[in-house]
Amino acid sequence: MGDPIRCVIMRGGTSKAVFVKECDLPADLTRRKKTILGIFGSPDKRQIDGLGGADPLTSKLAIIGPPLDDPRAAGTHLTYTFGQVEIDMPEVDFRSLCGNISSAVGAFAVYEGLVTAATPITTVRAYNTNLNRVLNIEVPVEQGRPVERGDFVVPGVPGSGARIQVDFADTGGAACGALLPTGNAIDRLDVPGFGTIEASLVDIGNAHVFIRARDVGLIGTETAAEIDAKGELRDLLERIRGAAAHRMGMIGDPARSRQDSPATPILGMISPPADYRNDIGRCTVKADEVDLVSRLMFMQQMHKTYAGTSTVCTGVASRIPHTIVHEMTRAETLERELVRIGHPAGVIGTETRVELSGNDYVVRRATLGRTARRIMEGYVYAREIDDLMLSAEASA
């Protein structure tokens, strides 16, 4: 049994993460990785011996550290490192950012006294080390504590809560060097065993690849169960994602996307507004309630709701002429800031403002509204992970 490590479990939007302070983890990166895997109970498809929830949306980590002495982090209150912990592989992916968990980072900072609480809104400036960019997180506060009760509803989350607003405008181009990594609104990707497919490659929040749902034989309103049951389709989508990752310079070999960059780019399958069944909410989403419809592939599975960074990236892409997302977006809504995205569990909105500056598009606003809640705080006893286990799982 390892030494106890203080942790907090928090829900942020439609995700859940284990929060730990950087000072409570080993400084040595190899030992740190082993400790994190032990906390989550990975590798094991049930994560039965740790805190992981056996689902990509609940196998997430937030490492919180002190502000950096770095001009890029000037005026920030903390550092935030996001980790996507693999379930059945001994890996932790630090290349991506989770927008849902970013909202919980703001509430965590207020709870832990990492920022001076102000009523009614405390703005937490977090320097994200995954992208080396600053997030501005607006947290409702009363009597020095985050407000959790409210009337803001997040599809895919039971009940309602107080709205936390996260602005990701500063993250444009953070992963690949430019909002449009190739400089094109549409690229043609060569996909082994399929041929060529048109895609829009966009980088804000996280790097994304957007394709038309119809180009891979889908209507665009399929459920997660329907997509995940199609093994050949999932394999094709991963090959498309690998080709996009290679085109954006994220990996050297498109055939190694699963090993070298499993979380990003996130793949979105876009279709025009349409009626569809919301299986989670047991209701029908009407076409006039959305400006476009999207389905995401995340960690080689279809996302059951919609990722926070994907929300802002989809919104931004809808405002860039000639992208696939712009093409599929309801024309009469293209001039307003609010973009409504239809996803498997309902509708999510984002406020988006994109301006053309010279030959480049500049993001002025890219917001995500979420709720967050502190679920548990205490100590975790991490399972001890040895080198033999890591090498055996890695070669399996």
Side-chain angles (χ1 to χ4, degrees):
M1 179 183 297
D3 294 331
I5 300 170
R6 182 176 179 269
C7 70
V8 175
I9 295 179
M10 295 194 69
R11 176 188 62 76
T14 54
S15 294
K16 188 164 57 177
V18 177
F19 279 65
V20 293
K21 289 188 176 178
E22 186 177 24
C23 60
D24 292 329
L25 290 174
D28 177 78
L29 295 183
T30 300
R31 288 184 58 214
R32 177 175 292 193
K33 176 182 175 181
K34 291 180 182 179
T35 299
I36 293 168
L37 292 172
I39 289 172
F40 280 79
S42 292
D44 171 44
K45 65 181 180 180
R46 293 193 299 157
Q47 293 180 317
I48 195 65
D49 209 22
L51 297 181
D55 185 285
L57 302 187
T58 56
S59 190
K60 300 190 173 192
L61 171 75
I63 302 174
I64 307 299
L68 290 179
D69 183 16
D70 187 309
R72 296 175 299 177
T76 58
H77 301 104
L78 54 91
T79 60
Y80 155 45
T81 301
F82 171 72
Q84 181 70 49
V85 182
E86 288 271 16
I87 295 172
D88 53 3
M89 293 178 63
E91 297 296 337
V92 185
D93 187 352
F94 290 110
R95 299 181 59 160
S96 61
L97 170 65
C98 177
N100 279 294
I101 297 306
S102 298
S103 65
V105 168
F108 179 86
V110 177
Y111 275 124
E112 296 289 317
L114 303 179
V115 59
T116 301
T119 302
I121 297 293
T122 297
T123 298
V124 178
R125 286 176 53 82
Y127 184 78
N128 175 250
T129 65
N130 305 87
L131 301 179
N132 293 316
R133 299 295 174 89
V134 176
L135 306 177
N136 289 298
I137 311 167
E138 299 176 359
V139 184
V141 170
E142 287 182 2
Q143 298 180 345
R145 295 167 65 86
V147 178
E148 292 188 348
R149 292 186 177 182
D151 57 7
F152 185 66
V153 175
V154 176
V157 178
S160 61
R163 178 172 182 154
I164 297 173
Q165 189 93 322
V166 187
D167 192 346
F168 293 85
D170 188 48
T171 66
C176 303
L179 181 63
L180 296 177
T182 66
N184 305 318
I186 289 187
D187 285 272
R188 293 178 64 83
L189 304 177
D190 294 320
V191 182
F194 180 80
T196 59
I197 188 170
E198 290 190 332
S200 293
L201 311 180
V202 187
D203 176 18
I204 183 168
N206 278 315
H208 283 68
V209 50
F210 296 106
I211 62 172
R212 302 179 189 91
R214 66 171 184 254
D215 288 349
V216 289
L218 297 175
I219 298 172
T221 57
E222 286 81 358
T223 66
E226 290 172 328
I227 296 293
D228 289 344
K230 299 179 179 181
E232 291 186 3
L233 173 62
R234 288 172 62 188
D235 181 66
L236 169 61
L237 294 174
E238 182 59 26
R239 296 200 305 275
I240 295 172
R241 199 182 71 86
H246 182 258
R247 181 69 62 88
M248 288 189 278
M250 299 178 68
I251 58 176
D253 181 355
R256 286 188 54 83
S257 58
R258 178 72 173 83
Q259 294 82 7
D260 295 344
S261 189
T264 55
I266 298 173
L267 184 145
M269 296 168 280
I270 311 299
S271 56
D275 293 355
Y276 63 90
R277 181 69 179 171
N278 171 358
D279 281 348
I280 294 177
R282 297 183 179 180
C283 62
T284 297
V285 176
K286 296 292 187 180
D288 60 9
E289 298 174 329
V290 302
D291 300 320
L292 70 148
V293 174
S294 182
R295 297 294 185 262
L296 297 176
M297 293 302 292
F298 176 67
M299 299 297 287
Q300 296 71 54
Q301 299 179 33
M302 187 174 131
H303 203 296
K304 296 177 180 62
T305 55
Y306 212 71
T309 56
S310 299
T311 302
V312 298
C313 192
T314 305
V316 167
S318 75
R319 296 324 189 226
I320 300 177
H322 311 302
T323 66
I324 285 172
V325 185
H326 183 274
E327 168 194 316
M328 294 291 175
T329 300
R330 190 188 302 277
E332 60 267 29
T333 67
L334 290 172
E335 298 303 318
R336 70 176 189 221
E337 287 194 3
L338 178 65
V339 183
R340 303 170 301 167
I341 303 164
H343 62 84
V347 182
I348 189 168
T350 175
E351 296 174 4
T352 300
R353 186 164 71 251
V354 180
E355 299 175 358
L356 185 62
S357 178
N359 295 322
D360 298 319
Y361 288 98
V362 178
V363 181
R364 301 299 185 191
R365 188 165 177 80
T367 70
L368 174 68
R370 300 279 84 179
T371 63
R373 191 174 80 83
R374 183 170 58 170
I375 296 172
M376 183 282 292
E377 59 178 300
Y379 292 86
V380 57
Y381 293 87
R383 179 182 60 161
E384 293 185 0
I385 306 292
D386 57 34
D387 293 332
L388 183 61
M389 177 181 292
L390 292 184
S391 60
E393 292 289 345
S395 61

